[in-house]
Amino acid sequence: MAEQNMINNRYKIISNVGADKSGYFLTLQDSVDQKKYYTKLIKIQNNNMSAESLYALQLRMKRLMKISHTNIISVSEPELAEEGLLLRQTAVTGASLKDVIQRQGRPLPLKTAYRISLDIASALAALHSEGLVHGELDPSHIWIDPEGKAYLSFLELPPAFDMDRPVYEMPDLMPGTELQPDVDIFAFGVLLLEMCTALSPYRSSGDGTDVEEYSHLFAYYKECVSESAGLEVPELVPVLSRCLTDNKSLRYKDGEELYWAIRAVVEKDLPKKELPPEDNNPSQKKSKKGKDKKTGGQSGFVTSGKGRKSAALPLALVLLILIGAGVYLWLTHPEFLNDLPKIASVFNKTETETTPVYQETLSLLHVTQTAMEVQSVQKTAEDLPTETPLPTETPLPEPTATPLPRPITPLSGRSIRWNADDSLMAAVPEETFTMGSDHTFLFDMEGVLPRHRVALSAYWIDVREVTQAQYARCVAEGVCQPIERIADEWIGDDLPIMNVRWTDAQVYCTWAGKRLPTEAEWEKAARGTDGRLYPWGNFSRGIGIYPNRLHRSGQDPQDLSPYGVMDMAGNVSEWVNDFYSETRLINDTELNNPIGPISGNMHTVKGGSFLAPEQESASFVFSRSGAAPDAVRNYGFRCVVSADEVDTTKAAEDEPLALAEAVQSVENPADCTDHAGFVSDITIPDGTVVKKGEFITKTWELSNIGTCAWTENYKVVWGDETFTNDQKLFDVGVALQPGESGEISVTFQAKGDGPTRIFFVLANPEGETFKMGPNSRGDLYIDYNAE
C-alpha cells in the first residue's frame, strides 16, 4: 500500500484541516526542501466541478503565480496527484479574518480595521493592475498573522471554508460573465461594513439574481450607509457608499482607486486616532502624491509582472525626498544617518527584479521625517533659556514580571481544564498501540480495520462528549449553527449534543481552539495499549447493563477508558476527522500519526450509541461506520488538542482522573493453539424441562486441550442462527492452563417451544472462534424442553 501520509511521494501530510463540497484542505510539507504549504486537493471523482472548470482553475492558478506582493500569499504550480488536482499556497501562521471577527467581536478595534483595510486594498490594487480579479473575497480568504498583518488568500481558509460566500457576492453579476474588479470592490465594502460597524451584512432569502431580492439588497445597504453616519470615523461613510452602491459608474473602478480612498481616511484621521503599524503609516508627502494619483499618477503597487511606465515618477519623487532629507541631516546631525535603513538594496534592482515594496518606501520616509522632527525639537530646545532646572523625574515602579507560558506535560491520569470551552481534558501520552481487529466474535461488522501497530504523538482529549450547553455557547457567539432536530426528551444542558453534522463538529472544535480527533487518536484514547475490546477492559457487560437511554455526559462510571475518558462505548456515536473507507489494506508495520484516507465521500463515526441495535458490537473500541458529512443523525463528538499546543495560558491543571483497570493478560506463544474438550454437564442436563422466557443458567465442565493458556476473558459466543439473544458474549470466567478443566456458565432467557437446542462456540480475546475437540469440529450446546 502507498504511504498513507504522503501525496505524490513528495508531500508529507502534516494535518487534515477540513473539507468542502469540492475537495479537502491539508497542510503539507515538501520532503525535498521542507517548505510547508496550505493546500486544497480537488477530488478526481467530483460531481461539483466539470472538466472545463478544473482546466480553468489550473489556468487561473498559473496566472496568480505571477503576482508577488507583501500582502498576497504566494501560490505554486498546480499539480496533478493520483488523488486529484493539488492547489498549493505558502503556509502562513495566524487565523482567518472570519475567526478573528468571531473571537474579538464586532466592530473590530479601529487600529485593527485600518490595518486590515489598507493591507487588503493594497493587495487588490496589485491584483487589478495585472488584469486579475480575486472574485471570492470574503473573511474566509483573508489571513491575519500574529503581528496583525493581513494577507489575501486564493484558497478558502478554516473554519468557514466559503460557507458565507453568497453574503459577499455582488448581486448584479450575471452568471457566465467575465469577472471585473467591481466584484472585489463590492465584497470589500461588505467587509468594511462588517469590520467597522455593528450592522449585519445582507443575507439573501433566495436567488441573488431575483429582481426583488436585488432591489432589497441595495436598499438595505443604502440604509446601512445612512446609519453609519454616526461612525467614530464618519469619513468611512463615502467609502462604504461607493463600494456598495447599485450605480456601477459611482463604484471605485479598481483596487488602486479604493486604496487611495482608504489611505486618505487614515491620513485625515492621523492626528486623533490610533494608527496601524508603521509600515502602513502614510506620510504627508506621500499623501500629496496620492492626490496626484487621482489625476493620473501611479501608486507603485508591487507585482512581479511588468511595471507601468509611469511608475518612474513616484520613484523619482521618493529619491528626491530621501536625498534632500539625507543632505540636511548630514549637514546638521550626521549621527542620525547611522540609524537610517540602507536604501541601496531597495532601489538598486535590475529590470527583471521586483519593484520596491510600497510599504517599505513609506517606512523609509517615516524614519527620515522622524529624524528631521527630532532635529527640529532639539534645535528649538537649544534656543530656550536654561536657568530654570527641569523637575526631577519621578522613578516609575518596577513592573511586575508576567509569568511565561509553561507547557503541561501529558502524563497518564493527568487532566487539564481547557479555558476556551471549560472542558475537562485527559492526557494521552506518546505511545504505540494496536489498532483494529482481525476477528469479530461472529458479529456481522463491516469496515473493521485489520490489526496493525500505530505510533501517536502525545495529545489531550475531552473526557466527556461535548454537551448541549457547551455547543450553545458557540451558537450564541455566532460561530456554530443551531441544532433544531433534537427530540424534547433528549434536550438538556448536561446531555451530549447530538444530530450535528461533521462540519458542525469541526467548526465547534476550531472555535474552542482544538480539532476533531483522528480515528487513531479516538481509538487509542478508548483502548489504551493493552489491546482491550472495550474501554473498561475485556469483560462483557451482562444482561441489561448496557444503558439503552441517553444520559448526562460522564454519568456512566463503568464506561471509562485507561486514560480516564468516558462514554466512548455508549451514549452517542461520535464524529472523527478521518474520511471513511470500508475496505482498507494496511501493512503490518507501525504507522506514525495516521490521518486515514486522503479522500472520500463519507467521514468516520466511532463509538457506541444508546440507539444502536446491537450495543455489544457497537461498544467494541474497533467498531466504526461511515456517514456523509452533512448527515443529521444521533451523532455527537469530542475534541482533541496536540500536546505541543497546550500551556498554562490556554489551560489549567486539574485533579487526577479515575482510570479503568489494566487488563490481565497472558503472553502466549505466537504459534499456540486453542482447543476445548467436553467433560460434563453441571446444570440443565439434556432434556430438562424449563419454562419459556425464564432466566436459566447452563454450566458445563470443559477442559483446555490446546496449547494456549485461557484467561478469564475467553468468551462463550452465542452461535445459534435460529434464535437470537440480547447478550451474545459471555465470559469464560476462569483461567485455565493447558490440561486444566473448570466450570463455565451462560445465563439467558429460555427460547423456543418444546424440544430446543441452542449452539455456542468459544473464542479467544482477539475474537477468533473455535469449536469442541482437537479438530474444532464438535458442538457446544444446551438441550432442553421449553414449556
Side-chain angles (χ1 to χ4, degrees):
M1 189 189 94
E3 191 70 29
Q4 279 190 321
N5 61 348
M6 296 290 287
I7 294 180
N8 267 8
N9 295 320
R10 175 171 178 174
Y11 302 108
K12 180 181 179 181
I13 300 176
I14 304 300
S15 62
N16 190 338
V17 181
D20 66 3
K21 62 182 181 181
S22 64
Y24 53 98
F25 301 89
L26 307 165
T27 303
L28 305 181
Q29 186 172 34
D30 192 326
S31 59
V32 177
D33 58 16
Q34 305 304 311
K35 289 183 179 179
K36 292 185 179 180
Y37 297 95
Y38 176 70
T39 64
K40 182 173 185 179
L41 189 58
I42 308 294
K43 294 175 286 186
I44 294 175
Q45 297 177 340
N46 190 328
N47 297 326
N48 295 297
M49 299 190 73
S50 64
E52 182 181 1
S53 61
L54 283 171
Y55 181 66
L57 183 57
Q58 292 181 68
L59 290 179
R60 171 177 164 79
M61 294 298 286
K62 284 179 175 292
R63 293 189 68 191
L64 293 175
M65 288 173 60
K66 300 178 181 180
I67 298 295
S68 175
H69 188 272
T70 185
N71 297 113
I72 294 179
I73 302 177
S74 60
V75 300
S76 301
E77 180 92 14
E79 292 186 29
L80 282 175
E82 181 181 349
E83 300 79 10
L85 178 62
L86 188 66
L87 309 178
R88 293 178 295 136
Q89 67 182 33
T90 303
V92 181
T93 304
S96 70
L97 177 58
K98 179 77 173 180
D99 194 33
V100 170
I101 290 175
Q102 289 169 348
R103 290 176 181 273
Q104 294 191 15
R106 298 178 48 230
L108 293 178
L110 189 59
K111 178 181 178 180
T112 303
Y114 271 166
R115 176 69 182 267
I116 296 171
S117 300
L118 283 168
D119 287 350
I120 299 306
S122 178
L124 290 177
L127 200 63
H128 294 170
S129 69
E130 290 295 318
L132 297 173
V133 177
H134 190 283
E136 296 180 339
L137 184 61
D138 64 13
S140 72
H141 284 83
I142 297 175
W143 196 247
I144 313 298
D145 73 9
E147 303 300 322
K149 184 176 180 179
Y151 298 85
L152 193 61
S153 172
F154 296 111
L155 298 181
E156 46 268 50
L157 304 165
F161 296 118
D162 253 348
M163 192 179 300
D164 296 328
R165 176 85 284 275
V167 176
Y168 305 87
E169 289 177 343
M170 191 171 64
D172 51 349
L173 178 66
M174 297 303 295
T177 59
E178 185 177 355
L179 297 180
Q180 299 298 325
D182 60 349
V183 301
D184 292 338
I185 302 300
F186 178 86
F188 184 92
V190 180
L191 283 169
L192 194 62
L193 182 86
E194 195 169 16
M195 290 190 295
C196 299
T197 78
L199 299 171
S200 298
Y202 184 85
R203 295 185 179 271
S204 172
S205 58
D207 185 358
T209 62
D210 182 76
V211 175
E212 185 176 356
E213 191 75 59
Y214 170 90
S215 61
H216 287 173
L217 180 143
F218 282 113
Y220 174 80
Y221 281 129
K222 186 175 182 180
E223 183 65 24
C224 284
V225 171
S226 175
E227 292 186 20
S228 299
L231 281 173
E232 185 179 4
V233 188
E235 291 83 359
L236 284 174
V237 173
V239 179
L240 287 169
S241 179
R242 289 193 62 183
C243 289
L244 300 174
T245 179
D246 58 347
N247 188 335
K248 291 186 177 182
S249 64
L250 296 179
R251 286 186 195 142
Y252 297 109
K253 66 178 182 180
D254 56 26
E256 287 192 38
E257 191 174 9
L258 173 65
Y259 176 84
W260 290 110
I262 293 293
R263 182 166 167 246
V265 172
V266 175
E267 287 183 339
K268 186 172 182 180
D269 198 42
L270 190 151
K272 56 182 178 180
K273 298 295 178 185
E274 194 175 15
L275 291 175
E278 291 182 357
D279 61 354
N280 265 355
N281 183 8
S283 67
Q284 294 297 321
K285 294 183 179 180
K286 205 65 180 176
S287 175
K288 292 179 181 179
K289 178 177 177 287
K291 294 178 182 179
D292 295 339
K293 156 71 181 66
K294 299 179 182 179
T295 62
Q298 272 297 328
S299 67
F301 288 106
V302 181
T303 72
S304 64
K306 189 175 181 181
R308 299 182 182 178
K309 294 180 180 179
S310 57
L313 178 59
L315 290 178
L317 290 175
V318 170
L319 283 170
L320 288 174
I321 293 171
L322 291 175
I323 292 171
V327 171
Y328 176 77
L329 289 175
W330 180 74
L331 293 174
T332 55
H333 285 263
E335 65 273 12
F336 285 121
L337 292 180
N338 295 328
D339 298 325
L340 291 178
K342 306 301 181 183
I343 64 174
S345 61
V346 178
F347 289 98
N348 292 341
K349 293 182 178 283
T350 65
E351 288 296 323
T352 58
E353 290 180 310
T354 302
T355 52
V357 175
Y358 183 79
Q359 282 80 3
E360 292 177 358
T361 305
L362 291 181
S363 217
L364 289 172
L365 287 175
H366 180 78
V367 173
T368 304
Q369 290 177 330
T370 302
M372 292 175 67
E373 290 170 4
V374 170
Q375 150 68 17
S376 176
V377 170
Q378 289 180 343
K379 180 171 177 59
T380 304
E382 291 173 2
D383 297 335
L384 293 177
T386 58
E387 287 78 5
T388 305
L390 293 175
T392 304
E393 183 178 357
T394 304
L396 295 175
E398 289 291 329
T400 304
T402 303
L404 295 174
R406 177 176 56 82
I408 304 176
T409 305
L411 301 176
S412 186
R414 200 169 192 176
S415 71
I416 56 173
R417 180 70 60 176
W418 191 253
N419 297 336
D421 64 350
D422 192 34
S423 57
L424 189 66
M425 304 191 76
V428 183
E430 181 176 357
E431 295 168 304
T432 301
F433 83 109
T434 299
M435 184 177 180
S437 179
D438 292 330
H439 309 283
T440 56
F441 300 96
L442 301 185
F443 283 101
D444 184 17
M445 300 177 66
E446 296 180 350
V448 175
L449 298 179
R451 285 170 59 91
H452 59 286
R453 298 293 289 172
V454 171
L456 293 179
S457 301
Y459 59 97
W460 300 82
I461 186 168
D462 289 343
V463 170
R464 305 178 182 91
E465 294 159 324
V466 172
T467 67
Q468 295 178 27
Q470 288 174 311
Y471 191 85
R473 284 179 53 198
C474 182
V475 173
E477 293 190 17
V479 180
C480 294
Q481 295 295 320
I483 306 302
E484 300 176 354
R485 297 190 225 175
I486 301 180
D488 291 343
E489 64 268 27
W490 298 336
I491 295 178
D493 285 351
D494 294 331
L495 295 176
I497 190 64
M498 56 191 299
N499 292 357
V500 293
R501 300 167 299 175
W502 180 85
T503 49
D504 296 326
Q506 184 195 50
V507 167
Y508 175 91
C509 290
T510 303
W511 165 79
K514 299 184 278 189
R515 57 180 172 81
L516 280 174
T518 64
E519 181 176 2
E521 287 173 332
W522 192 99
E523 188 165 324
K524 182 185 175 183
R527 191 173 206 172
T529 59
D530 53 19
R532 60 186 60 205
L533 299 174
Y534 312 100
W536 55 82
N538 278 341
F539 66 87
S540 299
R541 303 180 85 166
I543 299 170
I545 294 180
Y546 285 97
N548 59 357
R549 62 179 178 82
L550 190 69
H551 59 261
R552 294 197 301 271
S553 292
Q555 191 184 35
D556 182 1
Q558 192 176 22
D559 192 351
L560 180 69
S561 88
Y563 299 108
V565 186
M566 308 188 75
D567 293 329
M568 302 193 86
N571 231 12
V572 295
S573 299
E574 302 173 21
W575 289 109
V576 295
N577 194 60
D578 298 29
F579 286 106
Y580 177 77
S581 175
E582 186 173 311
T583 56
R584 283 172 56 195
L585 297 177
I586 299 176
N587 291 335
D588 189 21
T589 56
E590 183 174 286
L591 298 177
N592 294 317
N593 297 312
I595 64 171
I598 59 174
S599 65
N601 297 319
M602 297 191 293
H603 281 276
T604 304
V605 178
K606 295 284 286 182
S609 167
F610 76 105
L611 293 175
E614 288 191 350
Q615 292 193 351
E616 277 184 306
S617 59
S619 299
F620 289 140
V621 290
F622 52 79
S623 70
R624 61 197 299 269
S625 60
D630 57 352
V632 180
R633 302 179 189 171
N634 60 304
Y635 300 149
F637 65 97
R638 69 183 77 222
C639 307
V640 303
V641 62
S642 300
D644 57 5
E645 298 178 26
V646 177
D647 58 41
T648 49
T649 66
K650 299 177 181 178
E653 297 183 59
D654 215 306
E655 296 295 323
L657 296 171
L659 309 179
E661 294 182 0
V663 170
Q664 300 299 320
S665 61
V666 175
E667 292 294 332
N668 278 312
D671 58 349
C672 72
T673 58
D674 282 311
H675 297 290
F678 177 78
V679 178
S680 66
D681 290 314
I682 303 299
T683 64
I684 312 181
D686 291 356
T688 301
V689 176
V690 299
K691 186 177 181 179
K692 180 181 178 180
E694 73 174 345
F695 282 97
I696 58 176
T697 298
K698 171 67 178 180
T699 303
W700 305 274
E701 183 178 358
L702 303 180
S703 61
N704 179 358
I705 60 173
T707 59
C708 295
W710 293 6
T711 66
E712 296 179 354
N713 294 132
Y714 268 61
K715 306 293 180 184
V716 179
V717 183
W718 186 284
D720 200 286
E721 297 180 357
T722 304
F723 303 101
T724 60
N725 191 58
D726 290 339
Q727 184 177 358
K728 191 170 181 175
L729 296 184
F730 305 85
D731 291 329
V732 166
V734 59
L736 298 177
Q737 292 293 324
E740 295 181 343
S741 61
E743 295 183 359
I744 297 170
S745 301
V746 295
T747 299
F748 61 95
Q749 284 182 296
K751 317 286 183 182
D753 291 297
T756 302
R757 177 171 288 188
I758 297 175
F759 294 92
F760 299 85
V761 296
L762 296 169
N764 59 31
E766 285 73 44
E768 185 178 9
T769 58
F770 57 97
K771 300 178 79 173
M772 306 297 293
N775 297 318
S776 293
R777 296 179 180 176
D779 292 324
L780 179 66
Y781 61 85
I782 177 174
D783 188 292
Y784 58 82
N785 193 357
E787 294 183 348

